[in-house]
Structures are given as C-alpha cells and as structure tokens.
Amino acid sequence: MQREQISVFDMFKIGIGPSSSHTLGPWRAAQQFVQALEQQGVLPLVEQVKILLYGSLAKTGRGHGTDIAILLGLSGDDPVTFEVDQITPKIGDITATHKLQLGGVQTITFSVVDDLLFLFNESLPFHPNAVTFQAFLSNGKAVSETYYSIGGGFVVKEGLSNQAKQEVDLPFPIDTAADLLHWCIKTGLKISEVVMENELAWRSELETRNGVFNIFKALKECIYRGCHTTGQLPGGLNVARRAFKLNSKLIGNNTYTNYDEWVIAIRKTGDSFKNILDWVSCFALAVNEENASFGRVVTAPTNGAAGVIPAVLQYYIVFCEGNTEQRIMQFLLTASEIGSIFKKGATISAAMGGCQAEIGVSSAMAAAALTECMGGTQRQVLMAAEIAMEHHLGLTCDPIGGLVQIPCIERNTMGAIKAITASQLALQSNPEKAKVSLDAVVKTMWQTALDMNSKYKETSDGGLAINIPISLPEC
C-alpha cells in the first residue's frame, strides 16, 4: 500500500524560524484548532483556552519559540505572511493585556503563565512533539483536540493517520529509492522530470514553476538578508552573527546593491578551494542565523537544517554556472523527492531521530540535487544521497539551552560541505559497484533513530546541552 503522497511544496514550506517542528508545526496546529472551532460553530462561545505541551515541545519549546508560534496561530496570523518585526510587540501585547483575539475575532482572557503549560515530564505515545488545545465554552461544554508536529512543519491530528492533501492518481507512485529508479529506467526521465510529472497531477506546470520560484525567492532573500545583518542572536546565549563579517571579508572591495549583483561580485573573489569553502559556510551561516532570529526561512526539509540546501544551491549558482531558471527548478525538484523518500521510510523529525533526521536528510537532498544538475546519472544521484546520509548516521540533536543555535548553526555548514563532497564522490564513481543503496541507508537511519537514547532527540537533556555551562535569563 502506498504511503503518504508528498509534493515539492510539502518538503519546502515558507515560514518563520527557528524550528519547523517546534515553531511552524505548532503554529499550524493552532490554526487548525481555530478552524475546527469555526467549523463546529462554537468559536463565538469560547471563553477560555488552555494549551498543554508535551515531550520535546515542552522541554525545548521556549528556546524554539513554540509558545510564541501557538499564540500567533491562535490569533489568526499566518507564518507565510506575518511580518516578523511584529512578533515581539504582538506577543508583548498579549502578555501585558491578558487578552487574545482567537482567530482574530473572538476576544478571550488569556494568561501566558496559567493557560500555556509546559508539561516537561509528560509525553504522548504517538510522537514526542504533542500539543493539546482545550476550549471552554459559555454553555458549559468544552472542545479538546491533540495534534502532533511530526517534523518539517507536517502536522497530524490525533485519530487521523494522514492529513496530507487529497490523494490523486500519480503517474509515478514512489515510496522508495528503488521505486524512483524503476520509473527513471522505464521512462528514461531524469529524477527532476519524474517529480514534475507527478506534480502535474495536482496543478498545472505553470503553477508548479511559479510556486518553486517563489520558494527560491524566499531562499535567496534569506541568504542575502543573513549576509547583511549584524548583531547577536536572541535567546540569552549571546551568540554573535558571523555571516555578515565573513561576507564583508570575502567580498573585499567588490561592490553591489542587490542579490544579482552580489552573485557577480562573489564570482570576482575567485574560485580557489579555500575561497569556495568559506563562501559555502557563509551561505549556510546566513540562513541559520536568520532562522535563529525568528526570520523568514524555508523548511529544507526542516528549519533547523534550513541552511544546507540554500548553501549548496548558492554554491551551484555562483561557482558552477547554475544561475538559470531551469537548473534551479531541476535542483529543487530533485532535492524534494529525496527528502520525501526519507520522510516515508524513516523520519525528518529530530525529536524522533536526532539530528541525522534533519542535517543528514538535508545533506542527502542537496547532494542528490547537485549531482543531477552536474550531469550525473539517476544512479549517481541516488548514490550521492546515500553517501551524504551514511556519514551523518547517529548524529544527535542536543541544542544548548533548547535554542536552535549551538551546535545547530555550524552543523548546517558541515552538512553543506558533506553534500558537495558526496556529490563529487558519486560523480567520480560507478554506482553499479556501490555496496550500500539509498534504501538501505534510509532503513538504517530509521533503525538508528529507534535505538537512539531519547535524551539525544531534541530534549536538551544530553550531549552538549548538559556539558556546556550557560546561564539563560529567566522566562
């Protein structure tokens, strides 16, 4: 039986940082709860709302902005369009006035201390990222719903196994890498072409292209913004932004006024190995510093790993003559399919699988995309993805202070470099002689996730999170 049908726009979602599973997912869950109240016709009857956060959402929720995301979602705001500079004043207003406009229309009394509860020692069995919403009505009744944020901004309501878009008849149904390779061999199509044919089952080619370039627009704006913003990251660790200084140092005396001119200016700095290495790190740092600052980013496939794919794509654009619409489209379509295979066969949630499920998957996606765009065969593309993940297996998620900063930001630079290396290895190899398949590494990643101690799954209860002395401000 076929698993979930996943589109390129499921893997790449525009939202607000710092976490797809702890920020974007809970935000969407809050929106869905408000919609449920509207559909039941009880929104005008709501007098009080309580939110219960469980497991990883409780343990690292404050550092990941889970509470902020839920309040904005309940207020009727959308992460794609909400102005990021309005987050602080809006949350400040809710906190100070003890008033929340549910769905933007129903004003209720709300205490962020008493009505939004972090249940640090409680978990629900389906998934570590769980949130329960309770609405108490003026007629004495109550409405309660539980949602699970399963990674990458995907949300599942309790009792529903699949909340994806309405299923369609895909010309090329794919659950595994073997399925994907089967269709490529049978049709002679590239992986990106197979993906596009499937996307056409949901919408027109023009709509798909426009949507993909809207994703790319958000990616490049995020990189550019991150490379031109100074200061410290919020949260109390006092981590200084590094992309701005690195960009300024690398760019030298070359001048520019916008993204396109910046690309040209970067090319003028040279293509030595060290220079390219520095630029790739700069691109990744820029995105994840934006993510850590509640900036607008794209899940790729998650927020915590949002810098890997943009960094490798920017590398391809700047240093490999990849700055054409067709090549950018090819890159993102290929990447999305590899990500969907990991989601179907394993997980893209660090709360389920550690950081191998985020940085590892994003590195595999980027390696595959780069390999196809550099002229690799379908088998070489899959080989590149396998190599990238193979060398992230067992990577834990241990964010210091529950913040998506240390070691998360630097891990994106590592994931990007590994992706490029994996691609180069695959392009110089004969995949017929490979000993490990992509499906084998997906299976292994999932087995590793199941074996991994829970304290290494985005709880801040293990690893660096308990070995680095810090003093965060009281919440």
Side-chain angles (χ1 to χ4, degrees):
M1 183 175 67
Q2 186 179 349
R3 296 189 181 101
E4 182 180 2
Q5 293 182 346
I6 299 176
S7 163
V8 61
F9 302 117
D10 295 318
M11 298 310 301
F12 295 117
K13 305 182 186 75
I14 299 173
I16 292 174
S19 171
S20 51
S21 61
H22 286 60
T23 314
L24 180 59
W27 193 323
R28 292 300 189 197
Q31 289 179 303
Q32 289 185 26
F33 181 62
V34 172
Q35 291 169 1
L37 295 174
E38 291 174 336
Q39 291 168 359
Q40 295 174 38
V42 298
L43 183 60
L45 303 179
V46 178
E47 293 184 333
Q48 183 185 21
V49 169
K50 283 189 176 291
I51 303 104
L52 310 178
L53 297 173
Y54 299 91
S56 180
L57 285 189
K59 291 183 177 181
T60 62
R62 286 196 174 95
H64 286 66
T66 302
D67 47 352
I68 293 172
I70 284 176
L71 295 182
L72 294 173
L74 290 175
S75 300
D77 298 308
D78 190 87
V80 177
T81 58
F82 189 74
E83 294 294 336
V84 295
D85 58 0
Q86 294 301 307
I87 293 176
T88 298
K90 180 142 191 178
I91 298 301
D93 182 65
I94 293 172
T95 303
T97 64
H98 297 285
K99 298 292 183 182
L100 186 149
Q101 273 203 321
L102 197 61
V105 295
Q106 175 70 1
T107 301
I108 61 172
T109 299
F110 186 87
S111 168
V112 295
V113 175
D114 298 326
D115 296 329
L116 206 166
L117 306 178
F118 293 78
L119 306 179
F120 300 106
N121 298 317
E122 296 185 36
S123 295
L124 299 184
F126 178 72
H127 193 281
N129 293 336
V131 54
T132 296
F133 297 93
Q134 299 172 334
F136 300 90
L137 312 181
S138 58
N139 61 9
K141 296 182 179 181
V143 177
S144 178
E145 292 190 352
T146 297
Y147 297 84
Y148 299 93
S149 178
I150 61 173
F154 290 86
V155 175
V156 173
K157 181 181 174 181
E158 189 169 62
L160 297 179
S161 60
N162 186 356
Q163 284 189 292
K165 68 190 72 58
Q166 182 179 2
E167 288 197 356
V168 297
D169 291 326
L170 298 178
F172 306 120
I174 297 166
D175 285 341
T176 65
D179 293 337
L180 176 58
L181 184 59
H182 164 77
W183 293 120
C184 288
I185 293 173
K186 184 173 182 178
T187 64
L189 296 175
K190 298 177 181 177
I191 290 174
S192 60
E193 293 170 336
V194 168
V195 177
M196 177 58 85
E197 290 299 315
N198 278 343
E199 294 296 321
L200 295 179
W202 283 299
R203 71 195 76 81
S204 70
E205 182 173 351
L206 179 60
E207 289 175 309
T208 297
R209 292 182 66 85
N210 288 342
V212 170
F213 285 114
N214 192 41
I215 294 295
F216 173 63
K217 180 174 181 290
L219 289 174
K220 70 178 185 180
E221 287 176 352
C222 184
I223 294 177
Y224 190 77
R225 190 168 56 246
C227 282
H228 299 87
T229 304
T230 60
Q232 288 186 334
L233 303 179
L237 288 181
N238 300 319
V239 174
R241 284 177 176 256
R242 285 182 283 177
F244 176 87
K245 288 185 177 179
L246 186 53
N247 175 72
S248 298
K249 179 181 178 180
L250 294 172
I251 206 70
N253 296 323
N254 296 292
T255 60
Y256 55 92
T257 59
N258 55 48
Y259 171 84
D260 291 329
E261 292 178 1
W262 182 53
V263 169
I264 296 172
I266 293 172
R267 289 188 183 132
K268 292 179 180 178
T269 65
D271 59 359
S272 69
F273 175 76
K274 181 182 182 304
N275 191 58
I276 292 176
L277 195 67
D278 286 341
W279 273 118
V280 173
S281 294
C282 183
F283 301 150
L285 289 174
V287 172
N288 286 87
E289 287 170 358
E290 281 296 293
N291 181 62
S293 301
F294 290 85
R296 194 171 310 284
V297 298
V298 175
T299 64
T302 67
N303 281 28
V308 175
I309 288 171
V312 177
L313 175 55
Q314 187 74 356
Y315 156 80
Y316 176 60
I317 287 171
V318 174
F319 297 106
C320 306
E321 302 298 326
N323 199 15
T324 70
E325 288 191 355
Q326 183 55 39
R327 290 175 177 177
I328 293 167
M329 173 75 64
Q330 187 178 0
F331 189 102
L332 292 175
L333 290 178
T334 303
S336 72
E337 189 59 50
I338 299 303
S340 73
I341 289 171
F342 275 99
K343 184 180 184 300
K344 292 170 184 175
T347 181
I348 58 171
S349 167
M352 285 291 284
C355 207
Q356 60 173 356
E358 297 203 19
I359 295 294
V361 172
S362 63
S363 186
M365 293 167 68
L370 181 62
T371 302
E372 174 163 319
C373 289
M374 295 296 288
T377 66
Q378 299 96 326
R379 292 182 186 274
Q380 285 175 320
V381 171
L382 299 180
M383 184 181 188
E386 179 278 317
I387 293 172
M389 172 52 79
E390 185 177 340
H391 300 288
H392 282 92
L393 288 173
L395 184 61
T396 60
C397 182
D398 49 355
I400 295 177
L403 298 165
V404 190
Q405 297 181 19
I406 304 173
C408 320
I409 294 174
E410 286 183 355
R411 278 186 180 166
N412 280 262
T413 70
M414 301 297 107
I417 298 301
K418 283 186 179 182
I420 295 171
T421 302
S423 175
Q424 291 173 329
L425 282 172
L427 288 168
Q428 298 302 323
S429 300
N430 179 0
E432 300 291 344
K433 296 183 178 181
K435 303 299 182 182
V436 182
S437 69
L438 178 55
D439 283 330
V441 87
V442 171
K443 180 179 179 180
T444 302
M445 193 268 268
W446 180 234
Q447 291 172 335
T448 304
L450 295 176
D451 291 339
M452 187 180 291
N453 190 300
S454 61
K455 68 183 180 181
Y456 297 117
K457 297 180 181 180
E458 207 167 3
T459 63
S460 290
D461 288 338
L464 287 175
I466 63 171
N467 287 310
I468 305 300
I470 59 170
S471 178
L472 294 177
E474 292 294 327
C475 297

